[in-house]
Structure formats: structure tokens, C-alpha cells
Amino acid sequence: MSRIVVIGGTGLIGSKVVRKLTDHGHDAVAASPNSGVDTITGAGLQEVLEGASTVLDVSNSPSFADDDVMSFFTTATTNIIAAAKKAGVGHYAILSVVGSDRMTDSGYMRAKVAQEKLIEAGGIPYSIVHATQFFEFVGSIAASATVGDEVRLSHAQIRPMAAEDVATAVAKTTAHEPLNAVIEVAGPEQFGLDDLVRTGLAFRGDPRTVVVDPEARYFGERLTDDMLLPGPDATIFETRFEEWLPLNPAPAPRN
């Protein structure tokens, strides 16, 4: 049984990964500020990594402002590398984003690329999983692109996937030998970004109108048609958006 520390292990993906690893007999430890592990200050990091064979980082920056997100990923990754080396950890895995290296105008994606480069040069065997956008974030994409009663989005193509499938891919990769490479995972269907959001809003009775706008920004990036698509070697998961929607109703409004 392997001891695997999951940084960000209480979040959307992390909690699912911890459950999957535990179900397969691993000693999966969810590490987050709430459990006393802070990758920015380094507090608790060395202690939680002692005796671990693998560290997986699925944490995310609390702020997406360009300087903040770059500082978060580079500081956290530098601290994890140092602590993991000292603890003798033999595998460092992370979750990143399909197309991150192409989206050079996006501060968030530049920060993810910086994180990957630190890991590749860090001296610990590694695995990097690039995933496409999650179904769970369709509402957030719409909110970020809303102007009045309109949602303005590019028609760039995307192959979104369920967070459950992302977690499956990440858990399998983390539990196996290091790849020392990047792999891509994606969903089974290809949509225009505007069509994806339009479908999600319509299913939930949202009255906003989705308008195609080639100049609309996505994480600060003006998208080309294929910028968000994985390559031909991507592993394709089976969950379809129309199957996922009825099982994942929108949160009830707060009183």
C-alpha cells in the first residue's frame, strides 16, 4: 500500500481522487490549509510528506489575478519540490490544462506552464495530466462572460469532461510509475464553447442569451478555433454532457 499525499485533497478533484485511491487500497492523505498544510508558507508540508511515495498537487490559486496566480504556483511548487526531495518522495504528479502552452496571453495559463517547467526541472520523477475543461465549470464560464443579459463567448472548439472522469485519470496516473511526460485526457464530444454553455444554460432554464463573439476572452486569451483541443493521442473518457446534466442540478438559490 502506497502513501500518497494529495495537495488540494479537499477540493472538487482532490476529494474524488482521495476517495478513488483509498478505494484501491492506498493510504491517501488529503492535505490542505484546513489540515494544517500550507504550501505557500511551507507550514506542515515536510511533516505530511514524510514516508510518502508520491505527492499529487491538484490545488488552485485563490486569486486568478496575473501576479497572484504566478506567485501561487511558483511558490507552492518550489516548496513542494524541496520538501519532497528531503522526504525521499519518488513521484510528483500534477493536474494541468490542455492547451496551456498555447494560451500565452492568459496569466493563469502562463502560471500553469511555469509550474510544469519547475516540476520537469525539479529532479523528481513526475507525471503531468492535461485535462480539458470540466462540465462543472460551465456556469462559471457563463458568469465570467456575461454582459447584461448576454453571455459573449468564442465558438472555439472544446472537448469538455466530467470532473469524475478527470479524477479517475489523475488517480490512475498518480498510482502508477512516473511518466516523466505529459498526457492528455478529454471528453467524448466536441462542442463550440458557445454551444456548450448554451446547452447548459438552456437545460437549467437560464434566460440569458449566448452570443458568439470571436473577440471574447477565455482566462484572458482570445481563442483560436483549436486552441482548447487535445492532440490525437489523448485518452478519451465516456461521460457525455447530456448524461451528466440531469445528475448534476444547479445548486439551490440561497434565501
PDB file of all heavy atoms in Angstrom, residues 122-154:
ATOM      1  N   GLY A 122      12.790  19.730 -11.710  1.00  0.00           N
ATOM      2  CA  GLY A 122      12.929  19.647 -10.266  1.00  0.00           C
ATOM      3  C   GLY A 122      13.720  18.468  -9.733  1.00  0.00           C
ATOM      4  O   GLY A 122      14.024  18.415  -8.541  1.00  0.00           O
ATOM      5  N   GLY A 123      14.015  17.485 -10.589  1.00  0.00           N
ATOM      6  CA  GLY A 123      14.827  16.370 -10.143  1.00  0.00           C
ATOM      7  C   GLY A 123      14.059  15.224  -9.515  1.00  0.00           C
ATOM      8  O   GLY A 123      14.665  14.274  -9.016  1.00  0.00           O
ATOM      9  N   ILE A 124      12.720  15.286  -9.524  1.00  0.00           N
ATOM     10  CA  ILE A 124      11.894  14.197  -9.020  1.00  0.00           C
ATOM     11  C   ILE A 124      11.138  13.603 -10.207  1.00  0.00           C
ATOM     12  O   ILE A 124      10.572  14.356 -11.008  1.00  0.00           O
ATOM     13  CB  ILE A 124      10.880  14.698  -7.965  1.00  0.00           C
ATOM     14  CG1 ILE A 124      11.602  15.343  -6.786  1.00  0.00           C
ATOM     15  CG2 ILE A 124       9.991  13.556  -7.478  1.00  0.00           C
ATOM     16  CD1 ILE A 124      10.664  16.027  -5.809  1.00  0.00           C
ATOM     17  N   PRO A 125      11.101  12.287 -10.364  1.00  0.00           N
ATOM     18  CA  PRO A 125      10.287  11.704 -11.439  1.00  0.00           C
ATOM     19  C   PRO A 125       8.851  12.223 -11.353  1.00  0.00           C
ATOM     20  O   PRO A 125       8.297  12.335 -10.250  1.00  0.00           O
ATOM     21  CB  PRO A 125      10.376  10.203 -11.159  1.00  0.00           C
ATOM     22  CG  PRO A 125      11.688  10.030 -10.466  1.00  0.00           C
ATOM     23  CD  PRO A 125      11.837  11.246  -9.594  1.00  0.00           C
ATOM     24  N   TYR A 126       8.259  12.518 -12.504  1.00  0.00           N
ATOM     25  CA  TYR A 126       6.993  13.255 -12.491  1.00  0.00           C
ATOM     26  C   TYR A 126       6.007  12.712 -13.509  1.00  0.00           C
ATOM     27  O   TYR A 126       6.356  11.975 -14.435  1.00  0.00           O
ATOM     28  CB  TYR A 126       7.236  14.740 -12.764  1.00  0.00           C
ATOM     29  CG  TYR A 126       7.737  15.021 -14.176  1.00  0.00           C
ATOM     30  CD1 TYR A 126       6.849  15.258 -15.215  1.00  0.00           C
ATOM     31  CD2 TYR A 126       9.099  15.022 -14.467  1.00  0.00           C
ATOM     32  CE1 TYR A 126       7.293  15.496 -16.503  1.00  0.00           C
ATOM     33  CE2 TYR A 126       9.561  15.260 -15.745  1.00  0.00           C
ATOM     34  CZ  TYR A 126       8.655  15.493 -16.765  1.00  0.00           C
ATOM     35  OH  TYR A 126       9.102  15.721 -18.046  1.00  0.00           O
ATOM     36  N   SER A 127       4.750  13.117 -13.320  1.00  0.00           N
ATOM     37  CA  SER A 127       3.684  12.880 -14.300  1.00  0.00           C
ATOM     38  C   SER A 127       2.807  14.124 -14.334  1.00  0.00           C
ATOM     39  O   SER A 127       2.445  14.654 -13.281  1.00  0.00           O
ATOM     40  CB  SER A 127       2.823  11.674 -13.913  1.00  0.00           C
ATOM     41  OG  SER A 127       3.591  10.497 -13.816  1.00  0.00           O
ATOM     42  N   ILE A 128       2.471  14.583 -15.540  1.00  0.00           N
ATOM     43  CA  ILE A 128       1.611  15.761 -15.707  1.00  0.00           C
ATOM     44  C   ILE A 128       0.398  15.358 -16.534  1.00  0.00           C
ATOM     45  O   ILE A 128       0.540  14.854 -17.641  1.00  0.00           O
ATOM     46  CB  ILE A 128       2.374  16.911 -16.398  1.00  0.00           C
ATOM     47  CG1 ILE A 128       3.568  17.355 -15.526  1.00  0.00           C
ATOM     48  CG2 ILE A 128       1.432  18.084 -16.668  1.00  0.00           C
ATOM     49  CD1 ILE A 128       4.479  18.368 -16.197  1.00  0.00           C
ATOM     50  N   VAL A 129      -0.779  15.550 -15.953  1.00  0.00           N
ATOM     51  CA  VAL A 129      -2.030  15.244 -16.647  1.00  0.00           C
ATOM     52  C   VAL A 129      -2.647  16.555 -17.128  1.00  0.00           C
ATOM     53  O   VAL A 129      -2.973  17.429 -16.319  1.00  0.00           O
ATOM     54  CB  VAL A 129      -3.022  14.513 -15.725  1.00  0.00           C
ATOM     55  CG1 VAL A 129      -4.333  14.239 -16.474  1.00  0.00           C
ATOM     56  CG2 VAL A 129      -2.422  13.215 -15.207  1.00  0.00           C
ATOM     57  N   HIS A 130      -2.805  16.686 -18.436  1.00  0.00           N
ATOM     58  CA  HIS A 130      -3.507  17.833 -19.029  1.00  0.00           C
ATOM     59  C   HIS A 130      -4.954  17.417 -19.283  1.00  0.00           C
ATOM     60  O   HIS A 130      -5.205  16.482 -20.048  1.00  0.00           O
ATOM     61  CB  HIS A 130      -2.867  18.230 -20.354  1.00  0.00           C
ATOM     62  CG  HIS A 130      -1.688  19.119 -20.224  1.00  0.00           C
ATOM     63  ND1 HIS A 130      -1.120  19.776 -21.296  1.00  0.00           N
ATOM     64  CD2 HIS A 130      -0.949  19.482 -19.150  1.00  0.00           C
ATOM     65  CE1 HIS A 130      -0.086  20.489 -20.896  1.00  0.00           C
ATOM     66  NE2 HIS A 130       0.045  20.320 -19.585  1.00  0.00           N
ATOM     67  N   ALA A 131      -5.894  18.110 -18.661  1.00  0.00           N
ATOM     68  CA  ALA A 131      -7.317  17.826 -18.855  1.00  0.00           C
ATOM     69  C   ALA A 131      -7.990  18.992 -19.567  1.00  0.00           C
ATOM     70  O   ALA A 131      -7.558  20.139 -19.458  1.00  0.00           O
ATOM     71  CB  ALA A 131      -8.007  17.575 -17.514  1.00  0.00           C
ATOM     72  N   THR A 132      -9.057  18.676 -20.284  1.00  0.00           N
ATOM     73  CA  THR A 132      -9.885  19.723 -20.866  1.00  0.00           C
ATOM     74  C   THR A 132     -10.803  20.297 -19.787  1.00  0.00           C
ATOM     75  O   THR A 132     -10.820  19.832 -18.649  1.00  0.00           O
ATOM     76  CB  THR A 132     -10.706  19.172 -22.041  1.00  0.00           C
ATOM     77  OG1 THR A 132     -11.438  18.017 -21.595  1.00  0.00           O
ATOM     78  CG2 THR A 132      -9.821  18.773 -23.205  1.00  0.00           C
ATOM     79  N   GLN A 133     -11.573  21.312 -20.149  1.00  0.00           N
ATOM     80  CA  GLN A 133     -12.453  21.979 -19.191  1.00  0.00           C
ATOM     81  C   GLN A 133     -13.487  21.013 -18.618  1.00  0.00           C
ATOM     82  O   GLN A 133     -13.923  20.090 -19.292  1.00  0.00           O
ATOM     83  CB  GLN A 133     -13.158  23.160 -19.877  1.00  0.00           C
ATOM     84  CG  GLN A 133     -14.011  24.012 -18.974  1.00  0.00           C
ATOM     85  CD  GLN A 133     -13.244  24.597 -17.799  1.00  0.00           C
ATOM     86  OE1 GLN A 133     -13.176  23.987 -16.732  1.00  0.00           O
ATOM     87  NE2 GLN A 133     -12.682  25.776 -17.989  1.00  0.00           N
ATOM     88  N   PHE A 134     -13.874  21.251 -17.369  1.00  0.00           N
ATOM     89  CA  PHE A 134     -14.832  20.386 -16.691  1.00  0.00           C
ATOM     90  C   PHE A 134     -16.265  20.855 -16.956  1.00  0.00           C
ATOM     91  O   PHE A 134     -16.540  22.054 -16.993  1.00  0.00           O
ATOM     92  CB  PHE A 134     -14.620  20.383 -15.180  1.00  0.00           C
ATOM     93  CG  PHE A 134     -13.206  20.176 -14.707  1.00  0.00           C
ATOM     94  CD1 PHE A 134     -12.847  20.536 -13.417  1.00  0.00           C
ATOM     95  CD2 PHE A 134     -12.233  19.613 -15.529  1.00  0.00           C
ATOM     96  CE1 PHE A 134     -11.566  20.345 -12.962  1.00  0.00           C
ATOM     97  CE2 PHE A 134     -10.947  19.426 -15.076  1.00  0.00           C
ATOM     98  CZ  PHE A 134     -10.606  19.801 -13.780  1.00  0.00           C
ATOM     99  N   PHE A 135     -17.195  19.909 -17.051  1.00  0.00           N
ATOM    100  CA  PHE A 135     -18.618  20.259 -17.128  1.00  0.00           C
ATOM    101  C   PHE A 135     -19.020  21.151 -15.943  1.00  0.00           C
ATOM    102  O   PHE A 135     -19.867  22.038 -16.087  1.00  0.00           O
ATOM    103  CB  PHE A 135     -19.484  18.994 -17.072  1.00  0.00           C
ATOM    104  CG  PHE A 135     -19.321  18.044 -18.223  1.00  0.00           C
ATOM    105  CD1 PHE A 135     -19.602  16.691 -18.045  1.00  0.00           C
ATOM    106  CD2 PHE A 135     -18.902  18.467 -19.474  1.00  0.00           C
ATOM    107  CE1 PHE A 135     -19.479  15.792 -19.090  1.00  0.00           C
ATOM    108  CE2 PHE A 135     -18.771  17.576 -20.536  1.00  0.00           C
ATOM    109  CZ  PHE A 135     -19.056  16.231 -20.332  1.00  0.00           C
ATOM    110  N   GLU A 136     -18.432  20.878 -14.792  1.00  0.00           N
ATOM    111  CA  GLU A 136     -18.815  21.593 -13.562  1.00  0.00           C
ATOM    112  C   GLU A 136     -18.589  23.097 -13.650  1.00  0.00           C
ATOM    113  O   GLU A 136     -19.176  23.860 -12.864  1.00  0.00           O
ATOM    114  CB  GLU A 136     -18.030  21.021 -12.376  1.00  0.00           C
ATOM    115  CG  GLU A 136     -18.533  19.701 -11.855  1.00  0.00           C
ATOM    116  CD  GLU A 136     -18.116  18.489 -12.674  1.00  0.00           C
ATOM    117  OE1 GLU A 136     -17.446  18.648 -13.720  1.00  0.00           O
ATOM    118  OE2 GLU A 136     -18.467  17.366 -12.273  1.00  0.00           O
ATOM    119  N   PHE A 137     -17.745  23.550 -14.580  1.00  0.00           N
ATOM    120  CA  PHE A 137     -17.413  24.970 -14.641  1.00  0.00           C
ATOM    121  C   PHE A 137     -18.159  25.720 -15.747  1.00  0.00           C
ATOM    122  O   PHE A 137     -17.855  26.882 -16.024  1.00  0.00           O
ATOM    123  CB  PHE A 137     -15.900  25.148 -14.814  1.00  0.00           C
ATOM    124  CG  PHE A 137     -15.122  24.750 -13.587  1.00  0.00           C
ATOM    125  CD1 PHE A 137     -13.901  24.130 -13.705  1.00  0.00           C
ATOM    126  CD2 PHE A 137     -15.633  24.980 -12.317  1.00  0.00           C
ATOM    127  CE1 PHE A 137     -13.187  23.749 -12.578  1.00  0.00           C
ATOM    128  CE2 PHE A 137     -14.934  24.612 -11.178  1.00  0.00           C
ATOM    129  CZ  PHE A 137     -13.702  23.996 -11.311  1.00  0.00           C
ATOM    130  N   VAL A 138     -19.145  25.075 -16.365  1.00  0.00           N
ATOM    131  CA  VAL A 138     -19.915  25.759 -17.412  1.00  0.00           C
ATOM    132  C   VAL A 138     -20.596  27.003 -16.846  1.00  0.00           C
ATOM    133  O   VAL A 138     -20.615  28.067 -17.470  1.00  0.00           O
ATOM    134  CB  VAL A 138     -20.939  24.796 -18.047  1.00  0.00           C
ATOM    135  CG1 VAL A 138     -21.973  25.557 -18.869  1.00  0.00           C
ATOM    136  CG2 VAL A 138     -20.221  23.791 -18.937  1.00  0.00           C
ATOM    137  N   GLY A 139     -21.163  26.890 -15.647  1.00  0.00           N
ATOM    138  CA  GLY A 139     -21.814  28.037 -15.034  1.00  0.00           C
ATOM    139  C   GLY A 139     -20.846  29.171 -14.752  1.00  0.00           C
ATOM    140  O   GLY A 139     -21.182  30.352 -14.945  1.00  0.00           O
ATOM    141  N   SER A 140     -19.646  28.837 -14.301  1.00  0.00           N
ATOM    142  CA  SER A 140     -18.640  29.864 -14.023  1.00  0.00           C
ATOM    143  C   SER A 140     -18.160  30.538 -15.300  1.00  0.00           C
ATOM    144  O   SER A 140     -17.914  31.752 -15.319  1.00  0.00           O
ATOM    145  CB  SER A 140     -17.443  29.234 -13.296  1.00  0.00           C
ATOM    146  OG  SER A 140     -17.837  28.691 -12.067  1.00  0.00           O
ATOM    147  N   ILE A 141     -18.028  29.752 -16.375  1.00  0.00           N
ATOM    148  CA  ILE A 141     -17.651  30.336 -17.664  1.00  0.00           C
ATOM    149  C   ILE A 141     -18.717  31.335 -18.110  1.00  0.00           C
ATOM    150  O   ILE A 141     -18.410  32.445 -18.560  1.00  0.00           O
ATOM    151  CB  ILE A 141     -17.456  29.235 -18.722  1.00  0.00           C
ATOM    152  CG1 ILE A 141     -16.262  28.352 -18.364  1.00  0.00           C
ATOM    153  CG2 ILE A 141     -17.267  29.835 -20.114  1.00  0.00           C
ATOM    154  CD1 ILE A 141     -16.155  27.101 -19.204  1.00  0.00           C
ATOM    155  N   ALA A 142     -19.970  30.936 -17.979  1.00  0.00           N
ATOM    156  CA  ALA A 142     -21.066  31.834 -18.352  1.00  0.00           C
ATOM    157  C   ALA A 142     -21.045  33.105 -17.527  1.00  0.00           C
ATOM    158  O   ALA A 142     -21.207  34.219 -18.054  1.00  0.00           O
ATOM    159  CB  ALA A 142     -22.408  31.114 -18.191  1.00  0.00           C
ATOM    160  N   ALA A 143     -20.843  32.960 -16.226  1.00  0.00           N
ATOM    161  CA  ALA A 143     -20.838  34.140 -15.346  1.00  0.00           C
ATOM    162  C   ALA A 143     -19.720  35.106 -15.715  1.00  0.00           C
ATOM    163  O   ALA A 143     -19.918  36.331 -15.730  1.00  0.00           O
ATOM    164  CB  ALA A 143     -20.696  33.689 -13.897  1.00  0.00           C
ATOM    165  N   SER A 144     -18.554  34.556 -16.052  1.00  0.00           N
ATOM    166  CA  SER A 144     -17.414  35.423 -16.370  1.00  0.00           C
ATOM    167  C   SER A 144     -17.585  36.133 -17.702  1.00  0.00           C
ATOM    168  O   SER A 144     -16.921  37.145 -17.967  1.00  0.00           O
ATOM    169  CB  SER A 144     -16.128  34.600 -16.394  1.00  0.00           C
ATOM    170  OG  SER A 144     -16.111  33.711 -17.500  1.00  0.00           O
ATOM    171  N   ALA A 145     -18.467  35.601 -18.563  1.00  0.00           N
ATOM    172  CA  ALA A 145     -18.650  36.160 -19.908  1.00  0.00           C
ATOM    173  C   ALA A 145     -19.958  36.925 -20.058  1.00  0.00           C
ATOM    174  O   ALA A 145     -20.322  37.311 -21.174  1.00  0.00           O
ATOM    175  CB  ALA A 145     -18.604  35.025 -20.934  1.00  0.00           C
ATOM    176  N   THR A 146     -20.660  37.159 -18.963  1.00  0.00           N
ATOM    177  CA  THR A 146     -21.969  37.811 -19.021  1.00  0.00           C
ATOM    178  C   THR A 146     -21.840  39.320 -19.039  1.00  0.00           C
ATOM    179  O   THR A 146     -21.143  39.911 -18.203  1.00  0.00           O
ATOM    180  CB  THR A 146     -22.838  37.374 -17.829  1.00  0.00           C
ATOM    181  OG1 THR A 146     -23.091  35.970 -17.922  1.00  0.00           O
ATOM    182  CG2 THR A 146     -24.170  38.110 -17.818  1.00  0.00           C
ATOM    183  N   VAL A 147     -22.522  39.933 -20.014  1.00  0.00           N
ATOM    184  CA  VAL A 147     -22.634  41.391 -20.104  1.00  0.00           C
ATOM    185  C   VAL A 147     -24.119  41.702 -20.228  1.00  0.00           C
ATOM    186  O   VAL A 147     -24.737  41.414 -21.265  1.00  0.00           O
ATOM    187  CB  VAL A 147     -21.861  41.948 -21.320  1.00  0.00           C
ATOM    188  CG1 VAL A 147     -22.015  43.456 -21.379  1.00  0.00           C
ATOM    189  CG2 VAL A 147     -20.398  41.549 -21.268  1.00  0.00           C
ATOM    190  N   GLY A 148     -24.712  42.222 -19.179  1.00  0.00           N
ATOM    191  CA  GLY A 148     -26.158  42.438 -19.180  1.00  0.00           C
ATOM    192  C   GLY A 148     -26.885  41.107 -19.216  1.00  0.00           C
ATOM    193  O   GLY A 148     -26.676  40.248 -18.361  1.00  0.00           O
ATOM    194  N   ASP A 149     -27.708  40.924 -20.250  1.00  0.00           N
ATOM    195  CA  ASP A 149     -28.445  39.669 -20.403  1.00  0.00           C
ATOM    196  C   ASP A 149     -27.794  38.738 -21.420  1.00  0.00           C
ATOM    197  O   ASP A 149     -28.392  37.725 -21.798  1.00  0.00           O
ATOM    198  CB  ASP A 149     -29.891  39.959 -20.848  1.00  0.00           C
ATOM    199  CG  ASP A 149     -30.678  40.686 -19.774  1.00  0.00           C
ATOM    200  OD1 ASP A 149     -30.392  40.449 -18.583  1.00  0.00           O
ATOM    201  OD2 ASP A 149     -31.562  41.487 -20.126  1.00  0.00           O
ATOM    202  N   GLU A 150     -26.596  39.078 -21.855  1.00  0.00           N
ATOM    203  CA  GLU A 150     -25.909  38.285 -22.864  1.00  0.00           C
ATOM    204  C   GLU A 150     -24.665  37.618 -22.287  1.00  0.00           C
ATOM    205  O   GLU A 150     -23.979  38.173 -21.430  1.00  0.00           O
ATOM    206  CB  GLU A 150     -25.480  39.150 -24.054  1.00  0.00           C
ATOM    207  CG  GLU A 150     -26.628  39.708 -24.876  1.00  0.00           C
ATOM    208  CD  GLU A 150     -26.150  40.499 -26.061  1.00  0.00           C
ATOM    209  OE1 GLU A 150     -24.967  40.916 -26.081  1.00  0.00           O
ATOM    210  OE2 GLU A 150     -26.955  40.715 -26.992  1.00  0.00           O
ATOM    211  N   VAL A 151     -24.396  36.413 -22.790  1.00  0.00           N
ATOM    212  CA  VAL A 151     -23.152  35.705 -22.488  1.00  0.00           C
ATOM    213  C   VAL A 151     -22.348  35.682 -23.779  1.00  0.00           C
ATOM    214  O   VAL A 151     -22.741  35.058 -24.763  1.00  0.00           O
ATOM    215  CB  VAL A 151     -23.420  34.270 -22.002  1.00  0.00           C
ATOM    216  CG1 VAL A 151     -22.114  33.571 -21.667  1.00  0.00           C
ATOM    217  CG2 VAL A 151     -24.352  34.266 -20.802  1.00  0.00           C
ATOM    218  N   ARG A 152     -21.222  36.373 -23.791  1.00  0.00           N
ATOM    219  CA  ARG A 152     -20.442  36.546 -25.007  1.00  0.00           C
ATOM    220  C   ARG A 152     -19.247  35.588 -24.985  1.00  0.00           C
ATOM    221  O   ARG A 152     -18.362  35.697 -24.141  1.00  0.00           O
ATOM    222  CB  ARG A 152     -19.988  38.006 -25.153  1.00  0.00           C
ATOM    223  CG  ARG A 152     -21.144  39.004 -25.049  1.00  0.00           C
ATOM    224  CD  ARG A 152     -20.726  40.400 -25.467  1.00  0.00           C
ATOM    225  NE  ARG A 152     -20.488  40.483 -26.895  1.00  0.00           N
ATOM    226  CZ  ARG A 152     -21.432  40.695 -27.809  1.00  0.00           C
ATOM    227  NH1 ARG A 152     -22.696  40.838 -27.430  1.00  0.00           N
ATOM    228  NH2 ARG A 152     -21.126  40.756 -29.086  1.00  0.00           N
ATOM    229  N   LEU A 153     -19.256  34.645 -25.936  1.00  0.00           N
ATOM    230  CA  LEU A 153     -18.248  33.590 -25.955  1.00  0.00           C
ATOM    231  C   LEU A 153     -17.764  33.305 -27.372  1.00  0.00           C
ATOM    232  O   LEU A 153     -18.503  33.476 -28.339  1.00  0.00           O
ATOM    233  CB  LEU A 153     -18.829  32.293 -25.380  1.00  0.00           C
ATOM    234  CG  LEU A 153     -19.133  32.274 -23.882  1.00  0.00           C
ATOM    235  CD1 LEU A 153     -19.998  31.077 -23.545  1.00  0.00           C
ATOM    236  CD2 LEU A 153     -17.847  32.247 -23.071  1.00  0.00           C
ATOM    237  N   SER A 154     -16.550  32.827 -27.449  1.00  0.00           N
ATOM    238  CA  SER A 154     -15.992  32.359 -28.712  1.00  0.00           C
ATOM    239  C   SER A 154     -16.665  31.058 -29.139  1.00  0.00           C
ATOM    240  O   SER A 154     -17.229  30.327 -28.325  1.00  0.00           O
ATOM    241  CB  SER A 154     -14.487  32.126 -28.532  1.00  0.00           C
ATOM    242  OG  SER A 154     -13.947  31.363 -29.580  1.00  0.00           O
TER     243      SER A 154
END
